Amino acid sequence: MSSLAHGAPESTPAIGTSVSADDFKRAFRGHPGGIAVITAYGEKGPVALTASSVSSVSADPPLLIFSVSALSSATPTIIAADTIVVHLLDAEDISLARAGATSGLDRFADTSAWSRLATGEPVYHGVRAWLRCKIVSRMDAGGSTVIAAQALQVDVERDLEPGEAGAALVYYNRSWHRLGEHSRLD
């Protein structure tokens, strides 16, 4: 039970205390996240990482947020970039999602799978959708950085009609899942 009859919390932790990292992870294991691959181009070339933290914030102006872990080798380049590309993936893009999540892999070895936009950012071909974005804000948050970005350009390869099931790719309980008609709960 999280609250009493009068709406007051049963127990409120003192400022500065928090749940353990294991308990926090346990709570979020049951909360699925959509999958995206974030790319940027830096002094050492292109970088990419897989993220399950991408969320739309506003349609007007078109803003999104995501977080990047300090543990990722791609993070310094993404944080330093003025612009990035956010690739919104579906189940057809599982190999790209896995590649972006695998440490030490050259995510740009297959030069036929990606190219640079006229503005310089690396973009993968054939993904469900991608957005070229300008980073508008960065905020340190624990061992991560939260980034807010404004969409400047969009390409939707596999569009969905409102209410259509599609084949969304989500990360849930430490594994990849495909959402579709079979998972619909009307």
Side-chain angles (χ1 to χ4, degrees):
M1 179 76 60
S2 63
S3 63
L4 301 173
H6 299 291
E10 284 183 17
S11 64
T12 303
I15 300 296
T17 64
S18 62
V19 299
S20 71
D22 287 340
D23 284 345
F24 191 74
K25 290 177 189 177
R26 210 165 39 104
F28 271 88
R29 260 196 300 271
H31 186 73
I35 304 301
V37 166
I38 316 294
T39 59
Y41 201 88
E43 291 178 7
K44 296 180 182 177
V47 298
L49 61 78
T50 297
S52 61
S53 60
V54 176
S55 294
S56 64
V57 176
S58 168
D60 189 14
L63 298 172
L64 59 85
I65 59 169
F66 62 93
S67 64
V68 290
S69 169
L71 299 177
S72 172
S73 61
T75 294
T77 300
I78 291 171
I79 290 172
D82 290 327
T83 57
I84 46 103
V85 175
V86 177
H87 302 76
L88 301 175
L89 309 184
D90 65 14
E92 288 185 38
D93 305 314
I94 185 67
S95 61
L96 179 57
R98 286 182 173 139
T102 303
S103 182
L105 186 68
D106 181 356
R107 297 168 184 106
F108 297 94
D110 180 0
T111 56
S112 68
W114 69 281
S115 61
R116 289 178 69 180
L117 296 172
T119 49
E121 303 87 353
V123 63
Y124 286 105
H125 306 290
V127 297
R128 190 190 75 72
W130 59 262
L131 301 108
R132 180 177 157 264
C133 301
K134 176 178 179 39
I135 295 178
V136 296
S137 181
R138 298 163 182 85
M139 179 184 80
D140 289 335
S144 296
T145 300
V146 176
I147 296 175
Q150 181 172 351
L152 304 173
Q153 182 180 353
V154 64
D155 181 74
V156 179
E157 181 84 14
R158 292 185 293 280
D159 199 3
L160 295 172
E161 294 298 320
E164 185 180 356
L169 178 63
V170 298
Y171 195 72
Y172 172 76
N173 198 15
R174 300 181 135 197
S175 61
W176 309 100
H177 292 265
R178 171 197 307 251
L179 297 183
E181 194 59 40
H182 68 282
S183 57
R184 189 178 186 146
L185 299 173
D186 279 340

